[in-house]
């Protein structure tokens, strides 16, 4: 039987990055880890491993990132994003995820509440961090010679210089924070132990040597997206095809057929499109075996319609909110082993009584290593000659 955790005698604890990296296939001829449906580009499992370790070495040795530092990530799904998220974790830092479509005030609130020492942002979102006072690292290379990007650190870093075990985060260390939109103002907080448990839950045992291909439109920079899409699916050796939310039911089913998808991870609206009026399209879903819905469950009517039209598909619904209010609806035997955030000890912090500009951590958060950075000079140890606060071009 495959061992998910190291023997008790092993001195180094298993952190989330080490756990994921240990489960990535090494053979270069395996199916790709990620596919960008829009461009046709691919990322292999071995390239994902090398990129994450290269970025980790650049962040730690080049920019001075330390264990427990918080890094705010603002990016839409791309082939670069899983490399960045895994690389930040491999450097021993805390990933802080926020919606790149959030307002500048919401982004500033998330940066200050988490004690972020660095912001990694896609170029389209970089203008929103002006005035935050936190060094900026772009996701992709820019023509502006004054900027530095994670992409450059990935291609220029040394993957042998940043083995995640040298950072030695504890299972109880904070690993991930996800800030939601201003409508709910909740924060999901997960430790390394939480992430390891969540990632391990994604690895369903394959049936008859099944090759799993997952269509994913859920944002990776979200409470469910990082543990499931960025970490869990590659650790389970699933090929993840990054797609935009389908525009109509026919587009959704054509995407499943085009990629031979066995799994789909999507928001309720996109998942419901699969079960829309089918006519002659039903054969396009013959490969589909599992659908996971997040961050909110189906309505009862949508769930009933889905089960009526797609009875052979296992349906898992994930919901966010306080642990007491969270629920998962499981239909189908195989779905019971899939990731569910409430199964972990992840904390959900409510900010409903505060405006976005004043959103701050709870007392427990304020005492965490992540937020102590704020009172200890949060950017003083980051290499200021390489990163600079973003200034909008005039």
């Amino acid at each position: 039987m495959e061992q998910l955790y190291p023997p008790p005698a092993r001195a180094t604890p298993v952190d989330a990055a080490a756990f994921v990296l240990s489960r990535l296939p090494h053979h270069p001829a395996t199916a790709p880890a990620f596919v960008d449906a829009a461009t046709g580009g691919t990322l292999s499992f071995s390239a994902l491993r090398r990129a994450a370790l290269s970025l980790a070495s650049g962040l730690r040795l080049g920019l001075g990132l330390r264990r427990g530092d918080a890094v705010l990530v603002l990016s839409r799904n791309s082939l670069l994003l899983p490399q960045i998220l895994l690389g930040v974790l491999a450097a021993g830092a805390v990933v802080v995820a926020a919606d790149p479509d959030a307002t500048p005030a919401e982004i500033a609130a998330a940066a200050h509440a988490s004690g972020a020492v660095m912001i990694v942002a896609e170029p389209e979102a970089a203008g929103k961090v002006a005035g935050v006072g936190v060094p900026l690292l772009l996701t992709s290379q820019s023509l502006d010679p004054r900027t530095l990007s994670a992409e450059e650190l990935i291609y220029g870093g040394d993957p042998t210089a940043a083995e995640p075990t040298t950072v030695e985060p504890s299972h109880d260390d904070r690993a991930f924070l996800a800030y939601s939109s201003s409508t709910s103002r909740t924060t999901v907080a997960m430790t390394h132990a939480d992430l390891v448990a969540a990632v391990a839950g994604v690895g369903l045992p394959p049936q008859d040597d099944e090759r799993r291909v997952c269509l994913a439109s859920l944002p990776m920079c979200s409470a469910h997206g990082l543990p499931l899409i960025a970490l869990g699916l590659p650790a389970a050796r699933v090929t993840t095809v990054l797609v935009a939310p389908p525009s109509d039911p026919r587009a959704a089913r054509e995407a499943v057929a085009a990629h031979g998808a066995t799994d789909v991870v999507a928001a309720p609206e996109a998942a419901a499109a699969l079960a829309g009026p089918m006519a002659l399209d039903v054969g396009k879903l013959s490969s589909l075996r599992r659908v996971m819905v997040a961050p909110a469950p189906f309505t009862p009517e949508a769930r009933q319609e889905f089960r009526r039209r797609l009875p052979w598909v296992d349906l898992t619904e994930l919901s966010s909110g306080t642990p007491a209010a969270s629920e998962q609806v499981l239909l189908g035997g195989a779905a019971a082993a899939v990731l569910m955030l409430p199964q972990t000890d992840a904390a959900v912090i409510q900010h409903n009584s505060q405006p976005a500009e004043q959103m701050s951590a709870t007392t427990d958060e304020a005492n965490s290593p992540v937020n102590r950075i704020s009172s200890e000079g949060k950017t003083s140890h980051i290499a200021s000659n390489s990163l600079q606060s973003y200034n909008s071009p005039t």
Side-chain angles (χ1 to χ4, degrees), residues 21-49:
L21 291 169
S22 70
R23 297 171 72 85
L24 296 180
H26 292 268
H27 198 283
T30 56
F34 288 92
V35 177
D36 187 331
T39 65
T42 63
L43 175 70
S44 69
F45 289 98
S46 58
L48 174 60
R49 177 197 307 278

Side-chain angles (χ1 to χ4, degrees), residues 145-205:
R146 299 172 299 173
T147 63
L148 182 65
S149 69
E151 185 177 26
E152 293 170 275
L153 294 179
I154 287 171
Y155 290 121
D158 180 3
T160 65
E163 290 295 333
T165 53
T166 63
V167 183
E168 298 185 353
S170 166
H171 270 208
D172 295 329
D173 283 350
R174 184 70 54 80
F176 175 47
L177 294 171
Y179 285 86
S180 65
S181 68
S182 60
T183 56
S184 60
R185 301 192 194 107
T186 59
T187 305
V188 172
M190 301 181 73
T191 66
H192 282 275
D194 296 330
L195 278 183
V196 167
V199 169
V202 181
L204 291 174

